[in-house]
């Protein structure tokens, strides 16, 4: 697929971050877009940005509220898309939606753990299941599944557990790689790619909390404040146990801001790398120099990948300020 003009793309998690930028860049190339997200307001802003310079006649951008962890939501999305886009086929499927959280089997609840896993893994699996017939119906099509560097390195540092997200992203990576031959055997005109971003400037830190709690608030609950204080103390933050609740709230807000604004790769840059990878029919798309460097490091010394020295030298080399 060398260009996207006149094609129809489905994007999950289109309200913010890479999903929003994928929508904007696809529309700029003349591609119709149908996006879903749990936030109607966020999608409305994405649509507004897509339409800033007015859409070419006949080009369609549609928004659909859906939780990708719920199959009936995705089926409703599919049916709405077919009606509003007036189509029985799609050409591009970007399984992009994801959240963090629920990282520990000890300090997080089972519900938090499974919420993360069911969105990050289940959303990809159900997305492919739901839209596969429409992809097969097209003359050419491409499935793009967003994993992460946490799909080959299950860590974000020595002081924070990261099991739910990492497990899901490993599953996404393996699933997509297995799809390569499944598609070759049964639908050779449909290609697939696994995307593995490093640190991308998105709102995943704040958005994950909103989805996990369902309250839409920017502020931590009392229980979250206590857990954050405990994590900060374990990470060696000076006098973390003496910080006030307001100080903890401020520290969380700063972490969310920094993750978005101080990342080495912006969401717009990431979207361009992904779309260029699709055009080149690359099945493996690493996003960001940090992702490429980490991939090389893990392959070179896999037995040391979870040692403190590995992490500390990595953060110095790639400029991460995570964990």
């Amino acid at each position: 697929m060398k260009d996207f003009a006149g094609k129809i793309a489905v994007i999950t998690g289109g309200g913010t971050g890479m999903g929003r930028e994928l929508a904007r860049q696809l529309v700029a190339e003349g591609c119709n877009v149908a996006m879903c997200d749990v936030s109607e307001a966020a999608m409305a802003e994405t649509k507004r940005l897509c339409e800033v310079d007015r859409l070419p006649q006949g080009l369609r951008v549609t928004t659909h509220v859906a939780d990708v962890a719920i199959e009936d939501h995705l089926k409703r999305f599919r049916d709405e898309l077919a009606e509003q886009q007036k189509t029985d086929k799609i050409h591009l499927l970007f399984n992009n939606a994801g959240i963090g959280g629920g990282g520990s089997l000890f300090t997080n609840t089972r519900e938090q753990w499974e919420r993360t896993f069911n969105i990050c893994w289940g959303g990809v699996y159900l997305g492919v299941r739901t839209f596969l017939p429409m992809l097969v119906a097209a003359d050419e099509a491409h499935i793009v599944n967003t994993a992460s560097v946490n799909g080959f390195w299950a860590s974000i540092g020595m002081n924070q557990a990261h099991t739910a997200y990492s497990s899901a992203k490993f599953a996404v990576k393996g699933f997509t790689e297995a799809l390569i031959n499944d598609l070759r055997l049964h639908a050779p005109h449909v290609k697939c790619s696994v995307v593995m971003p490093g640190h991308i400037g998105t709102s995943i830190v704040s958005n994950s909390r909103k989805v996990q709690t369902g309250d839409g608030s920017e502020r931590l609950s009392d229980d979250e404040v206590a857990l954050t204080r405990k994590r900060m103390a374990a990470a060696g933050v000076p006098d973390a146990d003496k910080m006030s609740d307001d100080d903890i709230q401020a520290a969380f807000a700063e972490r969310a801001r920094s993750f978005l604004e101080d990342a080495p790769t912006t969401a717009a840059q990431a979207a361009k790398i992904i779309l260029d990878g699709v055009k080149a029919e690359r099945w493996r798309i690493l996003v960001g120099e940090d992702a490429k460097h980490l991939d090389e490091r893990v392959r070179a010394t896999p037995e040391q990948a979870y040692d403190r020295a590995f992490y500390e030298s990595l953060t110095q080399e790639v400029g991460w300020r995570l964990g």
Side-chain angles (χ1 to χ4, degrees), residues 133-200:
M134 297 184 80
L135 291 158
V136 173
D139 55 352
E140 62 174 346
H142 205 117
I143 299 166
V144 185
N145 294 332
T146 300
S148 166
V149 291
N150 291 133
F152 60 79
W153 184 64
S155 175
I156 52 171
M158 308 307 296
N159 298 309
Q160 185 170 339
H162 199 49
T163 62
Y165 187 86
S166 296
S167 299
K169 295 305 185 178
F170 266 78
V172 171
K173 179 175 179 289
F175 174 62
T176 310
E177 292 189 19
L179 266 181
I180 294 171
N181 206 48
D182 201 0
L183 292 170
R184 282 175 181 165
L185 291 170
H186 300 105
H189 64 297
V190 181
K191 311 300 181 186
C192 66
S193 299
V194 59
V195 174
M196 292 175 285
H199 179 188
I200 310 300

Side-chain angles (χ1 to χ4, degrees), residues 200-218:
I200 310 300
T202 71
S203 300
I204 191 172
V205 172
S206 57
N207 286 346
S208 295
R209 195 211 152 268
K210 292 177 184 177
V211 173
Q212 287 281 5
T213 61
D215 65 7
S217 173
E218 298 285 350

Side-chain angles (χ1 to χ4, degrees), residues 218-297:
E218 298 285 350
R219 291 183 63 79
L220 301 174
S221 68
D222 291 344
D223 287 344
E224 289 172 319
V225 167
L227 182 58
T228 300
R229 182 183 286 110
K230 184 177 180 180
R231 285 176 177 165
M232 292 173 67
V237 175
D239 297 324
D241 57 336
K242 299 178 183 177
M243 292 173 66
S244 70
D245 288 0
D246 285 344
D247 288 340
I248 298 295
Q249 295 280 4
F252 176 80
E254 171 57 21
R255 179 170 178 260
R257 183 211 64 77
S258 179
F259 194 94
L260 171 64
E261 298 178 10
D262 298 336
T265 305
T266 67
Q269 290 169 332
K272 185 178 188 309
I273 292 168
I274 293 167
L275 294 178
D276 286 347
V278 172
K279 289 177 182 177
E281 292 192 357
R282 289 167 46 208
W283 71 262
R284 189 174 192 270
I285 304 173
L286 290 165
V287 182
E289 292 303 313
D290 55 342
K292 295 176 183 177
H293 186 75
L294 179 56
D295 181 51
E296 293 173 357
R297 286 285 306 273

Side-chain angles (χ1 to χ4, degrees), residues 89-132:
K89 60 181 175 289
I90 64 171
H91 304 89
L92 293 154
L93 171 61
F94 294 89
N95 285 310
N96 165 79
I99 64 167
S104 173
L105 293 173
F106 297 90
T107 60
N108 294 109
T109 66
R110 177 170 180 167
E111 289 74 20
Q112 290 171 327
W113 200 101
E114 292 183 358
R115 185 76 174 125
T116 297
F117 188 80
N118 291 341
I119 290 174
C120 291
W121 156 243
V124 171
Y125 168 68
L126 293 174
V128 172
R129 278 286 191 193
T130 302
F131 289 102
L132 189 59

